[in-house]
Amino acid sequence: MAEPVVRIPDAKVALSTASVYPESTATAFEIAARLGYDGVEVMVWTDPVSQDVEALRRLSDYHGVPVLAVHAPCLLITQRVWSTDPWVKLQRARAAAEKLGASTVVVHPPFRWQRQYARDFVTGIWRMADETDVRFAVENMYPWRYRDREMLAYAPDWDVTKYDYRHFTVDLSHTATARTDAMAMIGRMGDRLGHVHLADGNGSAKDEHLVPGRGTQPCAELLTGLAGSGFDGHVVIEVNTRRAMSAAEREADLAEALAFARLHLASPSSPSSSSSSSPAPSASPSAAPSSAKRPGPSSARSPRTGSPGMRPS
């Protein structure tokens, strides 16, 4: 039997429920089913349905759309969602992921003013990851900017590759806002890149979350590299559709984003074709970057394989 001309990786393409804001979590499931997404990532925020595991299970069953990931409530607007204790938030996110069959919990690094949480964050994430098969994928953020001022709002750092986490989420809108080299960051993540937030940006101080292909970020290059590397995580469309003038315009944007992801996740199978495609993100397997820091006793562990004020993140 001849080898197929095009290879499709195991990665699933999901819709973040944040992508339909100001519409509801329930609307996101409906749209994901209608457009043919493989699943959803639930952004846990002020919508009561997003906080209710049984309501999410019913939506998933009704629409036939699995929950592939849970985004812990890490935003400014969600400081009181599921507790004011950030570790309780992560425990509840893990429990929700386990009950819903999701493989990933997305978490942001702490805000700098969460001093104790920030101090214990790296070792705490390793400890929690050791207690479950759910991946805790820590997401890259960005400096906050206003005019000519820059504020480092996240600790230990907005650039999560400076520390040793078992799994990473890369967000290409955040790399644009940080004005950092996205492919270099992805290279530092190596095979610990477990989750992708696919969006675009032009380097504005605002976190834009454009439909992929409408900004300057290497969205196509990233996906082509993932296709060639056998990436088995999830690619989540997390775009801002708040300015859509109608439901039809919002769905058109989300359909375009899905088509973009599907197109670029298809990789030529023949060696001659593959050699001319974008290289897959790479780093030494299961190795931390030489500058990465992981305090505490977890240093001997090896990674496993395998809205007003509300922005997608």
Side-chain angles (χ1 to χ4, degrees):
M1 180 185 243
E3 183 181 4
V5 176
V6 174
R7 177 178 54 213
I8 307 296
D10 292 333
K12 291 181 170 61
V13 181
L15 177 65
S16 169
T17 59
S19 295
V20 307
Y21 181 84
E23 298 294 335
S24 66
T25 300
T27 300
F29 277 87
E30 179 184 344
I31 291 174
R34 186 159 52 244
L35 295 182
Y37 278 84
D38 297 321
V40 299
E41 174 179 301
V42 174
M43 170 69 79
V44 179
W45 68 297
T46 55
D47 180 351
V49 172
S50 74
Q51 305 171 31
D52 186 333
V53 173
E54 290 308 314
L56 293 169
R57 192 198 308 278
R58 288 193 296 270
L59 283 169
S60 177
D61 291 344
Y62 179 79
H63 292 288
V65 174
V67 176
L68 300 179
V70 173
H71 195 309
C74 306
L75 308 175
L76 285 173
I77 197 174
T78 61
Q79 290 184 87
R80 296 186 177 277
V81 172
W82 276 359
S83 173
T84 56
D85 183 332
W87 290 115
V88 172
K89 291 174 184 281
L90 295 191
Q91 289 164 0
R92 293 191 64 173
R94 180 189 67 192
E98 290 172 342
K99 290 176 182 177
L100 293 166
S103 63
T104 302
V105 167
V106 178
V107 58
H108 293 180
F111 292 112
R112 187 165 290 278
W113 54 85
Q114 295 175 301
R115 293 182 182 177
Q116 186 60 48
Y117 179 46
R119 188 176 301 117
D120 299 337
F121 184 69
V122 180
T123 53
I125 289 293
W126 272 89
R127 182 179 62 251
M128 292 192 72
D130 280 342
E131 297 170 352
T132 179
D133 289 331
V134 173
R135 294 178 174 182
F136 281 87
V138 186
E139 182 175 0
N140 62 298
M141 298 305 291
Y142 47 83
W144 289 3
R145 294 189 179 91
Y146 179 72
R147 295 182 179 175
D148 59 345
R149 295 186 177 183
E150 182 175 291
M151 174 184 173
L152 300 179
Y154 299 97
D157 204 283
W158 62 265
D159 180 353
V160 293
T161 64
K162 291 183 178 179
Y163 287 79
D164 180 18
Y165 300 106
R166 180 171 288 169
H167 291 107
F168 294 108
T169 296
V170 68
D171 184 307
L172 292 187
S173 178
H174 294 177
T175 57
T177 303
R179 299 169 190 168
T180 193
D181 184 327
M183 294 308 293
M185 175 175 281
I186 291 161
R188 293 194 297 275
M189 291 179 175
D191 68 351
R192 292 175 299 155
L193 173 60
H195 201 69
V196 173
H197 280 171
L198 186 63
D200 216 330
N202 288 310
S204 167
K206 296 180 180 179
D207 186 17
E208 297 172 285
H209 283 270
L210 304 177
V211 171
R214 297 184 185 177
T216 61
Q217 293 305 285
C219 298
E221 184 180 356
L222 166 60
L223 294 174
T224 302
L226 294 179
S229 68
F231 177 72
D232 65 351
H234 303 316
V235 174
V236 177
I237 301 298
E238 195 185 65
V239 296
N240 185 342
T241 63
R242 281 177 290 175
R243 294 186 179 181
M245 301 300 291
S246 66
E249 184 177 334
R250 173 174 291 108
E251 287 200 29
D253 283 348
L254 298 178
E256 179 183 332
L258 176 60
F260 184 101
R262 298 268 194 235
L263 173 64
H264 294 288
L265 277 172
S267 172
S269 291
S270 67
S272 59
S273 298
S274 298
S275 63
S276 61
S277 64
S278 301
S282 62
S284 299
S286 301
S290 59
S291 59
K293 304 173 186 176
R294 188 204 315 163
S298 56
S299 59
R301 303 179 184 128
S302 60
R304 297 178 185 174
T305 57
S307 85
M310 190 282 189
R311 295 176 180 158
S313 50

